[in-house]
Amino acid sequence: MVTDAEQACFEAGIKFGSLYHQFAGTPVSVDSARSLETAMAEAIENQPHCETVAVEILDDRVDAAIDHESGYTELTGSLMEVEMEIRYEGCLVRTRMEMEDGYPLMRLVSVEA
């Protein structure tokens, strides 16, 4: 049987997988970034055991990624920072998405029983 901490970490992984794979490729511009941040956070916060989700789409990176006249680019991990808190039973897990060698990695920041 898994511990509460292990289950909380599993739940965090589910939330990150859902957030990233649901929204990667979404058209984004500097003008639409705030509404997309809100939509992403609110969608993931609907899931069980999710305490908080903070999504920040980085305007300077979005602007630099726009390479055509249409004025938008596709959302990727390199364009955003994400933090989440997941609570399962008495355990709180804090997570963060960080870029490493050009790849978005989801990391455990802390696990508190």
Side-chain angles (χ1 to χ4, degrees):
M1 193 50 82
V2 299
T3 66
D4 288 347
E6 291 169 330
Q7 186 66 39
C9 291
F10 172 78
E11 293 291 339
I14 294 296
K15 274 74 173 150
F16 258 121
S18 178
L19 179 137
Y20 193 85
H21 293 291
Q22 179 177 350
F23 291 100
T26 300
V28 64
S29 67
V30 173
D31 291 338
S32 68
R34 302 300 75 81
S35 63
L36 184 54
E37 288 170 345
T38 300
M40 293 171 71
E42 289 180 357
I44 301 308
E45 286 174 344
N46 285 321
Q47 295 185 37
H49 313 295
C50 196
E51 294 269 310
T52 63
V53 178
V55 177
E56 180 181 6
I57 297 174
L58 306 167
D59 291 346
D60 58 333
R61 293 185 188 173
V62 170
D63 194 44
I66 297 170
D67 61 358
H68 51 81
E69 294 179 13
S70 298
Y72 73 92
T73 190
E74 293 181 8
L75 186 66
T76 65
S78 66
L79 303 180
M80 62 181 158
E81 294 178 352
V82 180
E83 294 183 354
M84 292 188 206
E85 292 184 351
I86 309 300
R87 184 177 302 279
Y88 182 83
E89 300 298 328
C91 187
L92 178 67
V93 172
R94 289 187 174 89
T95 63
R96 178 180 23 234
M97 186 176 71
E98 299 175 340
M99 296 300 293
E100 185 174 303
D101 297 327
Y103 189 80
L105 295 177
M106 290 63 173
R107 301 203 184 273
L108 290 172
V109 173
S110 65
V111 179
E112 302 169 15

